């Protein structure tokens, strides 16, 4: 029996309920304004009745008869006098209106003594920056008054500033970043440290508005976001920064939050991303969040320079081409990525010259994620080998046209170790963790409009996409599900987003029980750095499908012809891909991969080239030896 969908009011009724409450509140306020006289008279009649009841209760019993006689006489006289009943009603309504008036004392027109001292102290602190000796009518002067300088101000319950509008003289150099930075630093110190402030400079009106920002939500776990293909949610920001909201689930509550959306693809102006931060600031969490979103529409290649196994949960997953932790595997994978970018670029160029749409094997996005690539720089220099960052030149330069996206994450103090290509072509920037204003300006290219704080949660920082504004950023909680310190709720959220495990974790074929078991000889030249991480332990609730046999040596993997691994039928088949296989740590992909030859043998990127085998359709299995040349070592 088919399940009926929930009514819209139950599935996504948060916004409708909020809108209904707002309409009801507005209607109640309007009715209160219209019926205010009647409410006042009713309140007065209630007070008069309560006063009459108290008078009757306080009267002794022997005098109640006389009191009743006096009241009855008054009613009789009013009834006999011309227009007496009308005058009685008017008198009663006037008395009720007087008794029903609002008796709440008006708030004081100015701040109290403690707040006045705070405003006076802030005014005196701004005098050296805004005062000018030649000014005939100075707005800021020693011993002056602060009323004209601060036209609007608000305080919170603790007595600190919550909102402040500051007037400054026209001669102040508000167009210089250094002058602004001095004023912002002073205001952050005087208004109270430990909070984030937003500064809005109005150069035309000579006004500076200081607003205390609420902390960003840090407990939103990773989930399937409502985005279009080519859109990646980096995190969440302030409601005033973006004009878009996304429905998310925060615990058991569903609400709308403003996201920072990064658009990739052939029409993106910022096709590559660079994330920097201090150790433990959440750069690996950001890469895991991007990887889980990229696997819905593309393929993934991960290079972990830290070698800590932060991405072991992605081994063997559908769409994950490789998870490399060693130098040899990183060089092999990135060299294949460079050749794949060239192949896609040539195929797209040939198709456009012929007036045809791009081939299907070039439409599926290819994501290259590198975590701490600077760690390989020292290893490559010690072993007199090639730096893996040099292989990123082609994917970074031609990645947008070839539908290839590169994401690099590293530590903030290793910015100088990144190659020129990485720093030049990664125009989307993210800085996580505590950072100074100079560091933020050096990485983002512009200072943020808020004051950075020293103590921030993991995944908290700033983001800037190209030449856009600098946004505050909070990355969704995407921890490693294999980490013992991960909470069960966040672990289950990450495991629910992982694709099915369709191939063994080491990228080899599932062994046939009828075949005799063979033991591969040891490779004396293979070091511990080239072997990669050990076989990951499956998370609770996941089947352990990784084979227990040893990984074949590098020489056997270079010459062996790998057979295709049976994959369950997908109801929504993806476009054909060139290398939808897993690459074992330290091994080379051995099926449907273009030839990894020397750099001088790579095809030139010109319009006059002849067609190459990489742009042709997939070869017949009988001629695979001719279509796939042998792979050479880097």
């Amino acid at each position: 029996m088919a399940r009926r969908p929930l009514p819209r009011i139950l599935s996504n009724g948060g916004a409708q309920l909020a809108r209904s409450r707002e309409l009801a509140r507005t209607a109640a306020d309007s009715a209160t304004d219209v019926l205010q006289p009647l409410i006042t008279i009713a309140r007065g009649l209630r007070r008069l009745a309560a006063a009459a009841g108290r008078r009757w209760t306080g009267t002794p019993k022997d005098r109640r008869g006389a009191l009743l006689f006096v009241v009855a006489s008054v009613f009789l006289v009013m009834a006999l006098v011309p227009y007496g009943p009308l005058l009685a009603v008017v008198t009663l309504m006037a008395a009720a209106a007087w008794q029903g008036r609002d008796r709440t004392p008006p708030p004081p027109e100015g701040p109290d003594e403690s707040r006045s001292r705070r405003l006076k102290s802030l005014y005196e602190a701004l005098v050296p920056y805004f005062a000018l000796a030649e000014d005939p009518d100075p707005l800021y002067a020693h011993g002056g008054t602060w009323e004209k300088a601060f036209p609007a101000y608000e305080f919170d319950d603790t007595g600190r500033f919550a909102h402040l509008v500051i007037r400054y003289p026209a001669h102040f150099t508000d167009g210089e970043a250094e002058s602004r930075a001095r004023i912002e630093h002073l205001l952050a110190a005087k208004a109270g440290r430990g909070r984030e402030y937003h500064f809005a400079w109005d150069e035309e009106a000579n006004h500076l508005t200081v607003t205390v920002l609420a902390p960003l939500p840090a407990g939103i776990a990773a989930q399937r976001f409502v985005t279009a293909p080519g859109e990646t949610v980096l995190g969440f920001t302030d409601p005033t920064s973006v004009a878009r909201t996304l429905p998310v689930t925060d615990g058991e509550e569903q609400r709308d939050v403003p996201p920072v959306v990064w658009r990739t693809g052939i029409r993106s102006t910022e096709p590559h991303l660079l994330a920097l931060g201090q150790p433990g600031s959440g750069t690996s969490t950001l890469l895991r969040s991007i990887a889980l979103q990229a696997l819905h529409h593309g393929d993934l290649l991960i290079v972990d320079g830290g070698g800590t196994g932060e991405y072991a949960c992605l081994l063997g997953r559908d769409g994950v081409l490789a998870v490399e932790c060693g130098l040899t595997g990183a060089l092999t994978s990135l060299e294949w990525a460079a050749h794949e970018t060239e192949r896609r670029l040539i195929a797209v160029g040939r198709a456009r010259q012929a007036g045809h749409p791009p081939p299907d094997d070039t439409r599926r996005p290819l994501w290259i994620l590198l975590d701490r690539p600077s760690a390989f720089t020292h290893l490559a220099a010690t072993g007199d080998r090639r730096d893996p960052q040099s292989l990123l030149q082609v994917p970074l330069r031609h990645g947008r046209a070839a539908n290839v996206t590169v994401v690099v994450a590293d530590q903030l103090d290793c910015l100088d170790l990144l190659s020129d290509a990485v720093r030049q072509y990664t125009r989307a920037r993210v800085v996580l963790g505590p950072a100074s204003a100079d560091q933020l300006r050096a990485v983002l290219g512009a200072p943020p409009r808020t004051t950075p704080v020293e103590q921030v949660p993991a995944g908290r920082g700033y983001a800037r996409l190209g030449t856009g504004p600098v946004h505050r950023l909070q990355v969704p909680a995407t921890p490693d599900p294999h980490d013992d310190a991960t909470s069960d709720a966040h672990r289950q959220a990450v495991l629910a987003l992982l694709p099915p495990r369709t191939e063994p974790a080491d990228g080899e074929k599932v062994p046939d029980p009828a075949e005799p078991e063979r033991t591969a000889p040891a490779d004396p030249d293979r070091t511990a750095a080239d072997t990669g991480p050990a076989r990951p332990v499956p998370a609770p609730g996941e089947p352990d499908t990784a084979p227990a046999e040893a990984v074949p040596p590098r020489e056997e993997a270079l010459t062996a012809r790998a057979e295709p691994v049976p994959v369950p039928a997908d109801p929504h088949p993806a476009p054909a891909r060139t290398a939808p296989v897993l690459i074992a740590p330290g091994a080379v992909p051995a099926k449907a991969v273009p030839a990894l030859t020397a750099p001088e043998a790579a095809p030139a990127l010109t319009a006059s080239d002849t067609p190459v085998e990489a742009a042709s359709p997939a070869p017949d299995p009988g001629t695979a030896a001719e279509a796939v040349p042998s792979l050479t070592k880097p």
Side-chain angles (χ1 to χ4, degrees), residues 66-67 81 115 127 140 149 152 187 201 235 249 281 294 316 325 389 439 468 497 504 548 605:
L67 181 61
V81 173
R115 297 178 179 180
V127 168
Y140 289 85
L187 292 176
W201 292 84
T249 302
S281 59
C325 298
Q389 295 188 53
Q439 290 175 332
L497 296 176
L605 304 178

Side-chain angles (χ1 to χ4, degrees), residues 8 104 128 155 191 248 341 378 408 448 478 557 611:
R8 191 169 182 177
T104 303
F155 293 87
V248 298
T341 305
H378 178 70
V408 180
T478 316

Side-chain angles (χ1 to χ4, degrees), residues 94-146:
W98 175 257
Q99 290 293 330
R101 71 187 187 278
D102 189 8
R103 301 180 181 181
T104 303
E109 296 183 357
D112 55 11
E113 184 178 358
S114 61
R115 297 178 179 180
S116 297
R117 287 197 304 266
R118 183 180 288 271
L119 291 170
K120 181 65 174 178
S121 174
L122 181 59
Y123 175 83
E124 293 292 340
L126 293 173
V127 168
Y129 299 93
F130 291 152
L132 188 64
E134 295 81 6
D135 192 355
D137 187 13
L139 181 61
Y140 289 85
H142 292 287
T145 58
W146 55 265

Side-chain angles (χ1 to χ4, degrees), residues 394-481:
V394 174
L396 287 171
R397 186 174 182 179
H398 305 285
R400 180 174 60 178
N403 210 0
V404 177
T405 303
V406 180
V407 181
V408 180
D410 214 316
Q411 295 184 4
L412 191 59
D413 53 358
C414 297
L415 178 61
D416 297 336
L417 297 179
L418 297 178
S419 63
D420 296 337
V422 173
R423 288 180 290 182
Q424 180 181 358
Y425 292 105
T426 53
R427 300 180 66 249
R429 301 291 181 90
V430 173
V431 178
L432 300 179
S436 62
D438 295 337
Q439 290 175 332
L440 293 175
R441 187 182 295 107
V443 177
L444 302 177
R449 290 297 181 92
T450 60
T451 54
V453 294
E454 297 180 356
Q455 301 294 334
V456 292
R460 177 69 177 80
Y462 297 91
R464 189 188 187 199
L465 304 179
T467 58
V470 179
H471 302 285
R472 288 202 309 164
L473 181 69
Q474 177 61 52
V475 179
T478 316
D480 181 12

Side-chain angles (χ1 to χ4, degrees), residues 281-512:
S281 59
T283 54
S284 299
T285 299
L286 175 61
L287 259 64
R288 272 191 299 270
S289 177
I290 294 176
L292 293 178
Q293 298 179 61
L295 286 175
H296 294 298
H297 306 286
D299 296 329
L300 195 62
L301 174 63
I302 302 177
V303 176
D304 184 10
T308 56
E310 294 282 344
Y311 309 96
C313 60
L314 297 172
L315 281 172
R317 301 289 178 175
D318 185 20
V320 181
L321 304 181
V323 178
E324 297 290 349
C325 298
L327 179 59
T328 301
L331 289 172
T332 304
S333 301
L334 294 180
E335 187 175 0
W336 171 85
H339 283 282
E340 173 66 9
T341 305
E342 294 176 352
R343 185 199 67 80
R344 290 188 174 205
L345 192 63
I346 294 175
V348 170
R350 297 300 185 191
R352 290 178 178 175
Q353 291 177 7
H356 301 299
D360 294 338
D361 57 352
T362 63
R363 294 182 180 181
R364 186 171 176 85
L366 174 61
W367 290 74
I368 304 174
L369 273 60
L370 293 90
D371 193 357
R372 292 201 63 191
S374 60
F376 291 126
T377 303
H378 178 70
L379 295 177
T382 303
D384 196 13
R385 306 181 68 178
R386 190 175 185 180
D387 189 358
Q389 295 188 53
S390 62
L391 298 172
L392 295 176
Q393 177 74 23
V394 174
L396 287 171
R397 186 174 182 179
H398 305 285
R400 180 174 60 178
N403 210 0
V404 177
T405 303
V406 180
V407 181
V408 180
D410 214 316
Q411 295 184 4
L412 191 59
D413 53 358
C414 297
L415 178 61
D416 297 336
L417 297 179
L418 297 178
S419 63
D420 296 337
V422 173
R423 288 180 290 182
Q424 180 181 358
Y425 292 105
T426 53
R427 300 180 66 249
R429 301 291 181 90
V430 173
V431 178
L432 300 179
S436 62
D438 295 337
Q439 290 175 332
L440 293 175
R441 187 182 295 107
V443 177
L444 302 177
R449 290 297 181 92
T450 60
T451 54
V453 294
E454 297 180 356
Q455 301 294 334
V456 292
R460 177 69 177 80
Y462 297 91
R464 189 188 187 199
L465 304 179
T467 58
V470 179
H471 302 285
R472 288 202 309 164
L473 181 69
Q474 177 61 52
V475 179
T478 316
D480 181 12
H482 296 167
D483 190 1
D484 296 337
T486 303
S487 63
D488 185 68
H490 289 170
R491 178 184 292 107
Q492 296 301 327
V494 174
L495 293 177
L497 296 176
L498 291 175
R501 192 185 296 274
T502 56
E503 295 188 8
D506 57 358
E508 297 298 330
K509 185 180 68 173
V510 179
D512 189 359

